[in-house]
Amino acid sequence: NLFQRHEADDEDEENAFLSGERDRPQFIQLERFRLHRAFNNSSFAQGGRFYGGWWQRVPNKFRRYITINGKPTREYDYSNFHLAMLYALEGQPLDGDAHIIRGLENHRKLVKTTLLKLVNAPPATRIASPKKTALPEGLSWGDLQELVKAKHRPIAKHLGSGIGLTLQKLDAQITEDVMLAMMQKDRLALPIRDSFITYSGLREPLTELMKASYQARVKAVIGVDLDPTFLGQELSDERFTTVEEYPDERMIDNHLCQPKYAGYLRRLKHFLDCQTKEWHTRFSA
């Protein structure tokens, strides 16, 4: 089951943003390929992110299996997107690992989710606590929030201020800039929230656009992280110490000959057979 939840997934980044998604039907509607924007509080200055694409409903750990025109993809992710914006707003650098607190090194994921909730929490709003079993022994939910604020003292005044929706408007503008710039290059970039999915071979043009769009809007620099393709990860796990960029065609063909890919290859052949000559001229390269 694609949407089967495990205890380890209860406190993650997606749920910090998309807690309302839990009540929605748990299936993927592949016909949903149009995007719309959702603003908040009757204001075009808050929110404005792009929603509606079926790929946005795919759980994080399964997105690497998305293909575009039968080609492996890769997800390109802004590093500490909203945190970096807040530090830039204060004219401060964001140094080191933003989610490591001394003494809580083994609870990085919990610290990250707590920080995301604080950034997005409206003023005077009680923030839902994690399960008691997720908290370090002897540490209360309130104590954890104070430790996170102390860790990020330069931006502590913004935590719990409701600034998250304003940051979403800014990140939506950056997302729009990147998508339109890619479209001008006749390339597809599928937006998530702070990341994009595209062909794994488009690392350089996409990451350059992501960094340039951020710098133009925020007047600061930011890093971009990237996840491996599903084929790249499998090849790395099975036979190679590293598989950097897009695996070469022979390597992919040999790997796809395994019986477990028989169904995928049938579906891919059917898809390709249904395309026009013009489509193959445009995308087969």
Side-chain angles (χ1 to χ4, degrees), residues 231 234-235 238-239 251-258 261:
L231 280 174
E234 288 194 8
L235 291 169
E238 292 179 8
R239 288 179 288 171
M251 193 182 297
I252 292 174
D253 290 342
N254 290 339
H255 191 72
L256 291 179
C257 286
Q258 298 181 50
Y261 288 110

Side-chain angles (χ1 to χ4, degrees), residues 17-140:
F17 284 117
L18 301 176
S19 57
E21 294 281 314
R22 298 175 188 174
D23 297 328
R24 297 192 178 186
Q26 300 296 283
F27 53 84
I28 302 297
Q29 297 173 277
L30 295 177
E31 69 275 15
R32 294 176 64 91
F33 55 84
R34 294 184 181 276
L35 297 171
H36 64 270
R37 299 185 70 176
F39 292 88
N40 298 85
N41 300 325
S42 302
S43 172
F44 287 119
Q46 295 189 350
R49 281 180 164 177
F50 293 84
Y51 296 102
W54 65 263
W55 58 91
Q56 296 174 328
R57 295 279 297 136
V58 177
N60 180 291
K61 60 186 176 182
F62 295 116
R63 288 203 290 262
R64 69 179 57 181
Y65 298 101
I66 292 174
T67 60
I68 297 177
N69 295 332
K71 302 292 186 180
T73 61
R74 210 164 190 177
E75 187 170 348
Y76 300 82
D77 195 337
Y78 280 113
S79 303
N80 302 311
F81 205 16
H82 280 185
L83 276 187
M85 289 182 186
L86 289 176
Y87 271 86
L89 186 64
E90 295 300 318
Q92 298 280 343
L94 176 56
D95 297 323
D97 191 326
H99 306 114
I100 290 292
I101 294 177
R102 182 175 297 179
L104 299 178
E105 290 84 357
N106 295 329
H107 298 275
R108 184 182 183 279
K109 189 174 183 179
L110 177 62
V111 171
K112 180 178 181 180
T113 306
T114 302
L115 186 52
L116 288 168
K117 289 181 176 180
L118 286 169
V119 169
N120 288 279
T125 299
R126 181 180 176 276
I127 303 173
S129 64
K131 292 180 178 180
K132 288 185 179 180
T133 54
L135 289 169
E137 186 176 355
L139 193 69
S140 71

